[in-house]
Amino acid sequence: MADDADVPQDSAGLRESAFLKACRREPVPHTPVWFMRQAGRSLPEYLKAREGVAMLEACARPELIVEITMQPVRRYAVDAAIFFSDIMVPLRAIGVDLDIKPGVGPVIADPIRNPSDAARLRPLEPGDVPYVTEAVRGLVGELGDTPLIGFSGGPFTLASYLIEGGPSKNHELTKAVMYGQPELWADLMRRLSDITIAFLKVQVAAGASAVQLFDSWVGAVAPEDYRASVLPHTRRIFAETEALGVPRIHFGVGTGELLGLMGEAGADVVGVDWRVPLDEAVGRVEPGKALQGNLDPALLFAPWEVVERRARDVLARGRTAEGHIFNLGHGVPPTANPDMLARLTDLVHEASER
Ligand code: 1CP
C-alpha cells in the first residue's frame, strides 16, 4: 500500500473551494450551499439503492455509503457532500444494542438509567468502524475538489436517545438524569464526548474536509442548564478537535437562546435554524464565527416565487455575517421535491455571485 493512502487529500482546488473559504470567513466567489439530509428519502435513487437493505446495514457497507453520498452531489450543484451514516453508528460500533426503525428512528434495546448502564459505553477505536474509514477514502477520491463533511451526534442528543430509548418530544427522562443524577449525567456526557471526538478524528484522518456536530435536540435545554451541564462537554469536543485543522460546524434545532453559548463552545461555524434571522444571529454569536443556514425546510412546499423571495432574504441577511454557508434550518423533509432543491441551489449561486 502506498503511504499516501493515509494522507487526506489536500489539493489547492479543495482548499480554495467556496465552502471551505466561507467556513474560514474568507471572500467567496458565491455563497456556498449544501443541505442537511441532502442524501436520503427525498431521492428516488436513494430509495432504490436502499431496497432490501436495513439502515444500519447500509451504514456499514462502504460501496453503498459512497453511492448514497454521491447521489445528491450528482443531482445538485451543491458545494459540499455530507457523509452518509447516522449519529447512532459509533454507538452501534461499540456494542450498544440498537436499531434504526423505518418511520421511527433510533430505538435502544436497554436504555441507560443508572450508573452501571453508562459503564457499558467504552471508548471508540478506529478499528471499530473500518467501513467508515474505507468509505471516506473512496469518497475523497470521487469528490475531487468538492469537500466532504464528516459528522457526529452531539452529546445531549446522543444521551437523549440512550436514556429515552428512542425519539422523544420533551426529553423528560433525559432531563430527570441531568437534574437528579448529576454524577451519572457527567459520566455519560464524558463517555459520549470521547466517542464523538474519536469518531470525528476517524473521518478527518481518512480525508473529510470539515465536520459538523449535530446536537439536534439540545434546543430543549434552557441556557442556564446548557452552561452548567452541556457546555463543558461541547467545549472539550471542540478543544480536542481543533488540531485536526478542519472547520467545525455546530448545529442544533430551536437553539435561538443558545447561539451565544454554542459559539462559546468553540466551533468555527454556528448553524442557525429558521427561527432566528441570520442578521439577528450575528449579534448573538461572538465575533470570529461564520454562520450556516437557515431557510425554513417547509418552504420547499411553497410556490417558487415565495421560495425565491425568502432565499434571497436569507442571502441578504447572511451577508451581515463574517462568513455564510446557505442551508436549510434543518434537514430536507423526506417528501420534498428534489427539483425544488435543484432550483434553489442554482438560485443561491446566481443570486450571490460576486
Ligand atoms: O430508513 C431510512 O432511510 C432511515 C432514515 C434515516 C436516514 C436517511 C435515518 C434514521 N438517518 C439517516 C441518515 C442521516 N442521519 C444522515 C446522512 C444523510 C444526509 O445528511 O444527507 C445524517 C447527517 C443523519 C444524522 C442524524 N440522525 C441526526 C442529526 C440530523 C438531524 O436531522 O437533526 C439525528 C437526530 C438522527 C437520528 C435519526 N436517524 C434516523 C432518523 C429518522 C432520526 C431522527 C429520529 C427522531 O426524530 O428522533
Side-chain angles (χ1 to χ4, degrees):
M1 279 283 271
D3 276 355
D4 63 3
D6 294 318
V7 179
Q9 176 162 339
D10 193 21
S11 72
L14 185 60
R15 266 197 316 278
E16 296 304 308
S17 64
F19 170 78
L20 291 177
K21 277 175 167 263
C23 290
R24 296 193 301 258
R25 295 171 282 115
E26 294 168 7
V28 286
H30 61 261
T31 302
V33 50
W34 69 281
F35 303 108
M36 291 184 273
R37 301 279 186 116
Q38 64 191 17
R41 288 167 297 170
S42 60
L43 296 182
E45 59 269 35
Y46 169 82
L47 297 174
K48 189 149 191 302
R50 278 283 318 281
E51 257 170 36
V53 188
M55 179 63 189
L56 284 171
E57 170 67 28
C59 294
R61 286 200 203 165
E63 76 293 346
L64 204 48
I65 298 173
V66 171
E67 165 59 22
I68 294 173
T69 302
M70 291 305 295
Q71 285 175 348
V73 179
R74 290 188 204 115
R75 194 185 254 269
Y76 315 124
V78 281
D79 293 273
I82 173 99
F83 187 67
F84 179 78
S85 187
D86 191 78
I87 59 170
M88 305 310 283
V89 163
L91 299 180
R92 180 85 243 352
I94 59 156
V96 176
D97 187 354
L98 67 91
D99 194 10
I100 295 184
K101 294 229 154 67
V104 180
V107 177
I108 314 293
D110 304 302
I112 289 180
R113 303 281 161 79
N114 57 60
S116 62
D117 299 334
R120 299 199 306 254
L121 298 175
R122 66 158 173 86
L124 178 82
E125 307 289 342
D128 295 320
V129 284
Y131 42 85
V132 171
T133 299
E134 194 184 328
V136 170
R137 282 186 182 157
L139 278 165
V140 167
E142 286 224 8
L143 283 163
D145 289 343
T146 302
L148 176 68
I149 305 169
F151 72 91
S152 176
F156 178 88
T157 299
L158 294 175
S160 172
Y161 285 115
L162 288 171
I163 295 169
E164 308 282 342
S168 164
K169 191 153 180 275
N170 296 321
H171 310 276
E172 282 147 349
L173 295 170
T174 311
K175 290 186 183 181
V177 172
M178 186 175 82
Y179 292 127
Q181 294 177 270
E183 282 176 16
L184 168 56
W185 178 257
D187 182 40
L188 181 57
M189 294 293 274
R190 266 195 298 272
R191 288 172 189 269
L192 291 172
S193 299
D194 285 338
I195 292 165
T196 289
I197 292 162
F199 193 54
L200 294 175
K201 283 184 176 173
V202 165
Q203 295 169 76
V204 175
S209 295
V211 292
Q212 176 156 325
L213 190 72
F214 280 96
D215 215 350
S216 299
W217 312 138
V218 79
V221 172
E224 181 187 349
D225 294 319
Y226 187 93
R227 186 181 285 286
S229 305
V230 183
L231 182 61
H233 306 283
T234 44
R235 189 176 263 154
R236 185 165 71 87
I237 290 168
F238 290 114
E240 294 198 18
T241 52
E242 187 158 13
L244 294 175
V246 302
R248 287 106 10 99
I249 310 168
H250 192 183
F251 170 78
V253 182
T255 49
E257 300 304 322
L258 301 178
L259 289 174
L261 289 166
M262 287 171 71
E264 276 180 44
D268 307 288
V269 183
V270 175
V272 183
D273 87 356
W274 65 93
R275 294 172 178 89
V276 181
L278 288 178
D279 52 333
E280 166 68 25
V282 166
R284 298 189 187 186
V285 175
E286 63 188 42
K289 311 275 173 192
L291 297 183
Q292 177 174 280
N294 72 342
L295 192 76
D296 186 343
L299 272 161
L300 297 173
F301 304 103
W304 172 251
E305 309 79 73
V306 183
V307 179
E308 176 168 358
R309 180 162 46 81
R310 300 298 292 266
R312 286 181 187 276
D313 184 59
V314 168
L315 285 169
R317 293 176 194 274
R319 271 181 221 116
T320 65
E322 294 178 47
H324 175 217
I325 298 128
F326 191 101
N327 208 311
L328 302 177
H330 195 194
V332 175
T335 51
N337 180 350
D339 294 340
M340 196 61 128
L341 289 166
R343 214 167 163 186
L344 179 57
T345 308
D346 294 343
L347 171 71
V348 170
H349 286 156
E350 284 159 26
S352 67
E353 212 175 322
R354 309 291 199 275

